Amino acid sequence: ASREIICQASGQQRKSGPVVAKEIAEKQKEYATGRTINNYRHREGLKPFHVIPKPLKSETHISDRLWLCDWLKDWTVEDFLHLAPSDEFYIWTVRRPNYQNDRIWAKSIEDITEDERYREMVKNQSCVGVFIMFTCKRLLWIIKDKGESRTGQYFRDIVLIENVIPFLKNEENVIDPDEVIFVHDKAPCMRANKTQHLLQDNDVKFWGDDIWPGNSPDLNVAEHIGSVIKDEVEKKMSSESGHNRYLEGTLKMHVANVLASMEEDTELFETLLCSYPSRFRAVKNANGRHTDY
């Protein structure tokens, strides 16, 4: 009966080892640890996969998202071409697993619901930190060197002063240096007063903490660029054989090659920037909640 409970928990979210062990204790009055449950799963050929969940929206997020839609209602497609969206993320040798209760135990991906995305989990993976920003003309990218801490000071000194600000002031990279608007999410390094003052002192237009809504990856088109980069890097890493498959040096090489190949993909950049009106319509149609972007 206990084994049947474990099998029924396969292919479902929020069925971690401790959760299933508690269920067995309540129904069968038998004691088992989460480790015992997972050991049994391994013996049965089950493997842990992870979910990329839909972000939850609080009432504040919803009202902020709807306010932004209304604030930009008179913008034209040409106006959005002056935006410079950005994002920061890590790329792993195999996509990083989520928290334990987002794992799903199954023998293969085919055994799990088709409309959810999964990646088989690997422990102790290597990763590379990346910052990207793009305009309708060009992609700017920075790979964080090993050992560098992603602090607010690093963001201001390396990302902004050495890269972002000179990039946005260069007419070869933007339509009009006086009209370009730097867009970043509500990461702590961007919300910091020192960061806001640095951008203001350098005459960089940006959407500050009072404009950009929290928990809104569907409104940041740079998130799409990040997904494309991760997909391409994942393909290249999968083609590596043996120990190279998990080396940080191999990962960094592929990340740099993919980023370099995308630097002047103006068709993709313009398509993403021109998708903003439809993204805002989708948010309004969803009453500020999650969209399919």
Side-chain angles (χ1 to χ4, degrees), residues 243-268:
H243 187 56
N244 285 338
R245 174 74 175 82
Y246 303 101
L247 292 179
E248 182 177 347
T250 305
L251 174 63
K252 195 170 184 177
M253 175 190 70
H254 287 313
V255 171
N257 290 341
V258 169
L259 288 167
S261 69
M262 295 180 62
E263 279 185 354
E264 298 181 356
D265 192 350
T266 55
E267 182 178 353
L268 172 62

Side-chain angles (χ1 to χ4, degrees), residues 85-250:
S86 63
D87 193 24
E88 293 176 284
F89 51 87
Y90 286 98
I91 299 179
W92 301 74
T93 49
V94 174
R95 288 193 176 173
R96 188 182 182 186
N98 246 322
Y99 292 108
Q100 179 164 294
N101 275 337
D102 288 326
R103 298 176 185 174
I104 293 182
W105 290 80
K107 291 187 176 180
S108 69
I109 292 179
E110 286 71 26
D111 293 337
I112 310 173
T113 309
E114 292 181 358
D115 64 342
E116 293 175 310
R117 299 170 58 197
Y118 304 90
R119 293 292 183 274
E120 187 171 355
M121 297 167 61
V122 174
K123 293 182 179 179
N124 302 320
Q125 302 175 51
S126 296
C127 70
V128 171
V130 178
F131 170 88
I132 61 169
M133 179 186 71
F134 75 94
T135 64
C136 61
K137 289 187 174 183
R138 194 173 183 85
L139 172 71
L140 168 71
W141 53 274
I142 305 165
I143 295 179
K144 186 180 76 68
D145 290 332
K146 188 174 183 179
E148 283 185 321
S149 177
R150 294 181 74 170
T151 62
Q153 196 63 48
Y154 168 86
F155 182 74
R156 289 184 288 275
D157 292 346
I158 305 300
V159 176
L160 295 182
I161 294 177
E162 292 187 12
N163 292 277
V164 168
I165 295 174
F167 182 93
L168 295 178
K169 298 293 185 181
N170 189 336
E171 293 182 354
E172 294 183 358
N173 301 325
V174 300
I175 297 176
D176 184 346
D178 294 328
E179 296 297 327
V180 66
I181 300 174
F182 176 48
V183 180
H184 198 284
D185 58 19
K186 285 196 170 185
C189 59
M190 186 61 189
R191 296 203 313 266
N193 288 332
K194 288 183 178 180
T195 301
Q196 310 267 316
H197 292 155
L198 174 64
L199 293 171
Q200 292 168 354
D201 293 343
N202 284 273
D203 297 322
V204 175
K205 293 183 179 180
F206 65 98
W207 284 352
D209 193 38
D210 58 334
I211 295 178
W212 189 256
N215 205 3
S216 298
D218 52 346
L219 291 181
N220 186 1
V221 293
E223 295 266 355
H224 182 90
I225 298 281
S227 296
V228 172
I229 294 169
K230 291 174 184 178
D231 287 342
E232 291 301 313
V233 171
E234 190 171 25
K235 290 176 186 176
K236 293 181 181 296
M237 291 299 293
S238 297
S239 67
E240 293 286 344
S241 59
H243 187 56
N244 285 338
R245 174 74 175 82
Y246 303 101
L247 292 179
E248 182 177 347
T250 305

Side-chain angles (χ1 to χ4, degrees), residues 19-144:
V19 170
V20 176
K22 183 178 180 180
E23 185 177 344
I24 290 174
E26 292 173 348
K27 293 181 178 180
Q28 302 300 321
K29 309 302 180 184
E30 291 183 348
Y31 175 76
T33 64
R35 182 184 294 273
T36 301
I37 303 299
N38 290 343
N39 286 342
Y40 177 78
R41 285 168 158 167
H42 281 298
R43 288 198 301 271
E44 292 298 305
L46 300 174
K47 295 177 291 186
F49 296 84
H50 82 278
V51 184
I52 300 176
K54 296 179 180 180
L56 299 176
K57 304 285 190 288
S58 68
E59 291 304 316
T60 300
H61 294 147
I62 291 171
S63 62
D64 288 348
R65 284 158 63 85
L66 291 173
W67 175 87
L68 183 62
C69 293
D70 186 62
W71 187 61
L72 297 173
K73 63 183 179 182
D74 295 327
W75 274 40
T76 65
V77 171
E78 289 72 22
D79 292 327
F80 287 107
L81 292 177
H82 289 287
L83 295 182
S86 63
D87 193 24
E88 293 176 284
F89 51 87
Y90 286 98
I91 299 179
W92 301 74
T93 49
V94 174
R95 288 193 176 173
R96 188 182 182 186
N98 246 322
Y99 292 108
Q100 179 164 294
N101 275 337
D102 288 326
R103 298 176 185 174
I104 293 182
W105 290 80
K107 291 187 176 180
S108 69
I109 292 179
E110 286 71 26
D111 293 337
I112 310 173
T113 309
E114 292 181 358
D115 64 342
E116 293 175 310
R117 299 170 58 197
Y118 304 90
R119 293 292 183 274
E120 187 171 355
M121 297 167 61
V122 174
K123 293 182 179 179
N124 302 320
Q125 302 175 51
S126 296
C127 70
V128 171
V130 178
F131 170 88
I132 61 169
M133 179 186 71
F134 75 94
T135 64
C136 61
K137 289 187 174 183
R138 194 173 183 85
L139 172 71
L140 168 71
W141 53 274
I142 305 165
I143 295 179
K144 186 180 76 68

